Amino acid sequence: MNLIKFTSKGIYCIPGKFYLDPWRPVDLAIITHGHGDHARWGMKKYLCHHFTKPILKIRIGEDINCQSLGYNEPITINGVKVSFHPAGHIVGSSQIRMEYKGYVTVFTGDYKVQDDGISTPFELVKCNEFITESTFGLPIYNWLSPKRYSNQMTDWVSLNKSQEKTSVFIGYSLGKAQRILKSVEGAGKIYVHSSIGKLNEAIESCGIKLPEYEVLDFHDDVKKVKGEIVIVPPALSDSNMIRKIPNRANAFCSGWMQVRGSRRWKSADAGFAISDHADWNGLINTIKATGAEKVHVTHGQIAVFTKYLNEIGINAFEVKTHFGDEEESSTEPIKTEKE
């Protein structure tokens, strides 16, 4: 059965007449999560999880036409039964399950199988057809447990404190920043950039409790952060703002930090391979467990990962999409000092 097709606007559900994370304006867009490569401006109507709705309103616009659902709360659209299931990627991230005449297709968006203590943990959904990302679809990517990363990061903060240094963590404002917050909770006072603070407020409006933090106004005297913890987005990593922080040590937080040849490694004092995506084993084990007869591989290591799946007997196909990798993005809209 052809339940979906890949078009110039995005992934289209044929009988349902809706799109999944489309990259061009459409009438109805069902959104997996709030990152900019999956949730774009210009749709007539959005459908997402309850936790994603306030994020979309901050990032796209308060006046968008947006309906939201909880996890495992099915809705029928033109005869297609649609439901959201936890993807574990970031707060509100969802796999989209579509069922039509007994045939089930699942679109993951981005996902991870580790429980980060903030996002709703990943839920395995059995299906006939599975659309998976492959951001870290190479055997070299194998994540440590969240607890081990937390220990590494708090140890680094302690070392910096002993040297009267400020620990500056650099990570994407939505998802990564909250992971960092959770990982270094209790290691010192935590300050965040305003872009992170706004998203924290949206997340907290859903009843999700985050560790204590203070929004840092870079126009004020930032000497008060000496010896403490500061979290900023990648766009500030080489800015005049971050240079205001006295005696700082910088750490990039991204799955790419597992590869020491990362282009950012040289400009940082430390790197922590914290990712909001599934690693190699997470991808393989999930795909096998779904029982899908057909697997579509989207953004990431598409060619290599698809080839491997076919070699182990899984019917897999390459799919080119407009989804990217927010972990490596340094183009978040950040206000400058003059604004």
Side-chain angles (χ1 to χ4, degrees):
M1 177 181 290
N2 290 323
L3 184 57
I4 57 164
K5 69 176 179 179
F6 301 93
T7 76
S8 60
K9 291 183 177 180
I11 304 170
Y12 181 64
C13 178
I14 301 167
K17 299 179 181 178
F18 56 78
Y19 288 82
L20 312 174
D21 292 355
W23 41 85
R24 291 183 182 174
V26 300
D27 288 341
L28 175 57
I30 302 185
I31 304 298
T32 59
H33 65 285
H35 279 142
D37 58 329
H38 288 259
R40 301 173 190 252
W41 178 88
M43 315 301 162
K44 286 186 179 179
K45 186 175 181 180
Y46 297 83
L47 176 64
C48 64
H49 185 268
H50 291 319
F51 295 169
T52 298
K53 186 174 181 177
I55 293 171
L56 295 190
K57 284 185 170 289
I58 283 178
R59 301 198 121 189
I60 299 174
E62 281 291 336
D63 59 346
I64 61 172
N65 182 355
C66 185
Q67 179 184 356
S68 62
L69 300 170
Y71 291 126
N72 291 281
E73 291 181 4
I75 185 174
T76 300
I77 305 174
N78 297 320
V80 179
K81 184 180 177 182
V82 178
S83 55
F84 291 124
H85 301 264
H89 175 57
I90 62 171
V91 168
S93 61
S94 305
Q95 302 171 82
I96 302 170
R97 182 187 187 273
M98 297 157 285
E99 181 176 351
Y100 184 70
K101 295 182 178 180
Y103 189 86
V104 177
T105 297
V106 170
F107 172 52
T108 64
D110 292 330
Y111 66 102
K112 74 171 181 293
V113 295
Q114 284 188 333
D115 182 358
D116 61 21
I118 299 175
S119 311
T120 306
F122 178 85
E123 176 189 320
L124 180 71
V125 183
K126 296 279 188 177
C127 59
N128 303 98
E129 188 174 21
F130 193 61
I131 309 170
T132 179
E133 61 141 313
S134 61
T135 303
F136 292 103
L138 291 174
I140 57 173
Y141 294 111
N142 289 286
W143 313 137
L144 299 177
S145 69
K147 177 63 175 174
R148 289 184 65 184
Y149 283 127
S150 177
N151 290 340
Q152 288 181 353
M153 294 164 74
T154 55
D155 286 348
W156 185 69
V157 171
S158 295
L159 175 63
N160 291 335
K161 278 181 175 290
S162 70
Q163 299 172 351
E164 298 186 337
K165 289 183 177 180
T166 302
S167 301
V168 180
F169 291 94
I170 300 165
Y172 199 71
S173 295
L174 177 58
K176 195 59 55 66
Q178 292 75 41
R179 288 281 305 275
I180 298 168
L181 260 175
K182 186 70 174 177
S183 298
V184 299
E185 183 178 13
K189 185 165 184 179
I190 304 173
Y191 296 87
V192 303
H193 183 264
S194 59
S195 65
I196 296 170
K198 288 177 182 177
L199 288 165
N200 284 353
E201 288 179 9
I203 290 168
E204 290 171 316
S205 74
C206 300
I208 296 171
K209 184 173 176 57
L210 295 174
E212 289 188 12
Y213 64 89
E214 181 179 317
V215 176
L216 179 62
D217 187 344
F218 280 83
H219 296 94
D220 291 343
D221 185 359
V222 298
K223 291 179 182 178
K224 64 180 180 180
V225 305
K226 183 178 179 181
E228 303 296 351
I229 301 165
V230 181
I231 308 173
V232 300
L236 291 188
S237 62
D238 191 30
S239 68
N240 288 330
M241 280 189 182
I242 202 172
R243 293 190 187 99
K244 288 183 177 182
I245 299 173
N247 200 24
R248 71 187 185 279
N250 298 339
F252 279 104
C253 297
S254 167
W256 303 113
M257 290 297 104
Q258 186 158 321
V259 180
R260 292 189 66 87
S262 169
R263 64 186 174 85
R264 290 208 174 121
W265 185 269
K266 294 178 182 177
S267 63
D269 300 290
F272 299 99
I274 300 175
S275 178
D276 294 323
H277 297 263
D279 63 7
W280 171 261
N281 289 321
L283 291 168
I284 298 296
N285 293 337
T286 298
I287 291 167
K288 288 180 178 178
T290 64
E293 301 110 37
K294 183 189 292 185
V295 176
H296 303 282
V297 180
T298 67
H299 53 301
Q301 307 295 331
I302 301 174
V304 174
F305 194 61
T306 302
K307 183 174 183 290
Y308 177 79
L309 291 178
N310 280 293
E311 285 175 352
I312 62 173
I314 295 173
N315 192 24
F317 303 87
E318 295 181 39
V319 179
K320 291 205 167 40
T321 64
H322 287 212
F323 307 131
D325 172 34
E326 73 285 343
E327 289 200 352
E328 206 170 36
S329 172
S330 60
T331 58
E332 288 184 274
I334 302 293
K335 288 186 177 181
T336 66
E337 294 173 271
K338 294 180 180 179
E339 291 180 317

